[in-house]
Amino acid sequence: MAFPEFENYLKSLTDLSDAEVARISALAKERKLRKNEFLLREGEICRHKTFVLKGMLRNFGTAPDGSEHILQFSPELTWTLDAESYDNLSPARYSICAVEPTEVLQWTKNDFNTLLIESPKLKSLSEKIISRNIYNSRQRLLTALSATPEEKYEDFIKQHPGMLSRLPLKMIAAYLGISLKTLTRIRHAQLLATK
Amino acid sequence: MAFPEFENYLKSLTDLSDAEVARISALAKERKLRKNEFLLREGEICRHKTFVLKGMLRNFGTAPDGSEHILQFSPELTWTLDAESYDNLSPARYSICAVEPTEVLQWTKNDFNTLLIESPKLKSLSEKIISRNIYNSRQRLLTALSATPEEKYEDFIKQHPGMLSRLPLKMIAAYLGISLKTLTRIRHAQLLATK
């Protein structure tokens, strides 16, 4: 197998044939990113679908005051892109950057569209992933609107159990929409409570 | 025309033929809602795509403390549903309720899927609307995470110029994720500043 992590991922979620999986892999280009290297910068055009083999990316926007707000973390075995930029070839409103040394596979829009036409099973997987993304965004919006900082932090730990130890606190704060000071206070209170 | 508002809407956004438009209308069922009447309650299955002819709906979730948080307002000439419940026939996580006396058109999932297969132009419009919804949710999440209450309010007025006068303040607060008290303070400050 060219990319065992990716091909096992596909096989675990679909019943694509070996030939189909090989065809999808054959059109992928591998890319390695150093920690803090950008995959996409705000203002550029997002020309690829990206699958994370190893490592982790973050997808973030910049507020008018220059502060960074994280929309999504993409650890291994997940997909990422700036959908609006990819669909419309418009300048990206968000940036994508490596949190850790990261290895990704990328497909150009042309190649990926060809694959979607060739393989209805890939298309159906792709639609499922897009739908799940929509549901998650809605849920995340509801949490952002309604939860207390404590609830947001607890929710994050529940939803992303393995990620806490891989992320600097300031990124978790930028994902939760709370200040680093508030996050530190919450974590301190929790540590005391569990002692 | 059976539903002139709807049919003109379709014709303004697509080049569907009169026969196709008539076919889409023919499968729609009209429904009227009183103010505060529910189109869908949390826990029910969302079995229809809904187009608003007149009036306005709100799509909201309930936080564990019982408070209501509004994900979306759907005024005339927009679509609404609980996507996760509709796609998977799972219990809805959100409710949809009429803000004003409202008239909608509804299609069952079976009928709408038939139309999507019959009419690639309708399918392409539908995909565009779903995509725009994704972009808007991301932007709304970024605002929820990053903006001050003042910025959120100003952004709302810019994005939804005609809606301010149609909505009770408590609903605007529940959409912005700020307290009614904060919203009242912001509006008061603005009124003083423009005097």
Side-chain angles (χ1 to χ4, degrees):
Chain A
M1 290 196 281
F3 305 113
E5 299 93 339
F6 174 64
E7 298 181 18
N8 290 331
Y9 160 90
L10 275 188
K11 287 185 185 171
S12 72
L13 292 178
T14 65
D15 54 353
L16 284 159
S17 70
D18 288 351
E20 284 175 301
V21 170
R23 164 82 176 143
I24 298 167
S25 277
L27 292 184
K29 269 207 170 157
E30 202 174 358
R31 187 169 162 192
K32 293 188 184 190
L33 297 159
R34 293 182 309 278
K35 182 174 168 175
N36 296 328
E37 189 174 344
F38 279 75
L39 187 74
L40 178 78
R41 277 178 199 274
E42 191 183 326
E44 294 175 351
I45 311 287
C46 178
R47 299 190 186 277
H48 298 86
K49 289 239 185 203
T50 297
F51 179 83
V52 182
L53 289 172
K54 285 180 194 160
M56 177 146 45
L57 300 169
R58 73 182 193 285
N59 197 314
F60 66 95
T62 310
D65 69 356
S67 61
E68 174 182 319
H69 298 274
I70 296 176
L71 295 168
Q72 186 184 304
F73 292 113
S74 306
E76 56 282 337
L77 309 187
T78 61
W79 299 82
T80 189
L81 84 175
D82 183 305
E84 185 170 12
S85 174
Y86 180 86
D87 290 344
N88 307 322
L89 299 179
S90 57
R93 291 208 259 180
Y94 309 106
S95 299
I96 305 176
C97 184
V99 175
E100 309 172 345
T102 298
E103 292 177 37
V104 301
L105 296 179
Q106 294 196 297
W107 293 259
T108 64
K109 193 169 167 173
N110 268 347
D111 282 349
F112 206 84
N113 284 346
T114 305
L115 291 171
L116 289 176
I117 292 165
E118 286 176 7
S119 170
K121 285 173 190 165
L122 180 65
K123 186 161 171 60
S124 142
L125 175 65
S126 168
E127 284 171 353
K128 252 185 229 160
I129 291 166
I130 291 170
S131 300
R132 198 166 325 128
N133 238 303
I134 301 179
Y135 316 150
N136 289 346
S137 307
R138 299 234 113 182
Q139 196 54 35
R140 189 149 143 58
L141 179 59
L142 185 64
T143 306
L145 291 177
S146 67
T148 63
E150 284 78 5
E151 289 164 345
K152 287 179 187 172
Y153 180 67
E154 276 163 35
D155 194 56
F156 178 79
I157 295 177
K158 248 187 258 166
Q159 303 275 334
H160 308 90
M163 275 162 64
L164 199 58
S165 58
R166 295 167 68 180
L167 294 169
L169 280 189
K170 66 165 192 213
M171 284 190 196
I172 298 174
Y175 180 86
L176 299 179
I178 63 183
S179 70
L180 183 56
K181 204 174 144 188
T182 302
L183 180 58
T184 308
R185 178 180 56 71
I186 293 170
R187 285 169 51 93
H188 191 70
Q190 285 204 339
L191 284 174
L192 287 179
T194 54
K195 259 184 190 163
Chain B
M1 289 196 281
F3 305 112
E5 299 95 339
F6 174 64
E7 297 180 18
N8 289 332
Y9 160 90
L10 275 188
K11 287 184 184 170
S12 72
L13 292 178
T14 66
D15 54 351
L16 284 160
S17 70
D18 288 352
E20 283 175 302
V21 170
R23 163 82 176 141
I24 298 167
S25 276
L27 291 183
K29 270 210 170 153
E30 201 173 1
R31 187 170 161 192
K32 293 188 185 190
L33 297 159
R34 292 183 309 278
K35 183 175 171 175
N36 297 327
E37 188 174 345
F38 279 77
L39 187 73
L40 178 77
R41 278 178 198 272
E42 192 182 327
E44 293 175 352
I45 311 287
C46 178
R47 299 189 185 277
H48 298 87
K49 289 239 185 202
T50 297
F51 180 83
V52 182
L53 289 174
K54 284 180 195 163
M56 177 149 42
L57 300 169
R58 72 183 194 282
N59 197 314
F60 66 95
T62 310
D65 69 358
S67 61
E68 174 182 320
H69 298 275
I70 296 175
L71 295 167
Q72 187 184 305
F73 293 112
S74 307
E76 56 284 338
L77 309 187
T78 62
W79 300 81
T80 189
L81 82 176
D82 183 307
E84 184 169 12
S85 174
Y86 181 86
D87 290 344
N88 307 323
L89 299 178
S90 56
R93 290 209 259 179
Y94 308 106
S95 299
I96 305 175
C97 183
V99 175
E100 308 170 346
T102 298
E103 292 177 37
V104 301
L105 295 180
Q106 294 196 297
W107 293 260
T108 65
K109 192 169 169 174
N110 268 347
D111 283 348
F112 206 83
N113 284 345
T114 305
L115 291 171
L116 290 176
I117 292 165
E118 287 176 7
S119 171
K121 285 173 191 166
L122 181 66
K123 186 161 169 61
S124 141
L125 175 65
S126 168
E127 284 171 353
K128 253 185 230 160
I129 291 165
I130 291 170
S131 300
R132 199 167 323 129
N133 237 304
I134 300 179
Y135 316 149
N136 289 346
S137 307
R138 298 233 115 183
Q139 197 53 37
R140 190 148 142 60
L141 179 59
L142 185 64
T143 307
L145 291 177
S146 68
T148 63
E150 284 79 5
E151 290 165 345
K152 286 178 188 172
Y153 179 68
E154 276 163 34
D155 194 56
F156 178 78
I157 294 177
K158 248 187 259 165
Q159 303 276 332
H160 309 90
M163 275 161 66
L164 197 59
S165 58
R166 295 167 66 180
L167 294 168
L169 280 188
K170 67 166 194 216
M171 284 190 196
I172 298 175
Y175 180 87
L176 299 179
I178 63 183
S179 70
L180 182 56
K181 204 173 145 189
T182 302
L183 179 59
T184 307
R185 178 181 56 71
I186 293 170
R187 285 170 53 93
H188 192 68
Q190 284 205 339
L191 284 175
L192 286 179
T194 54
K195 260 186 191 164

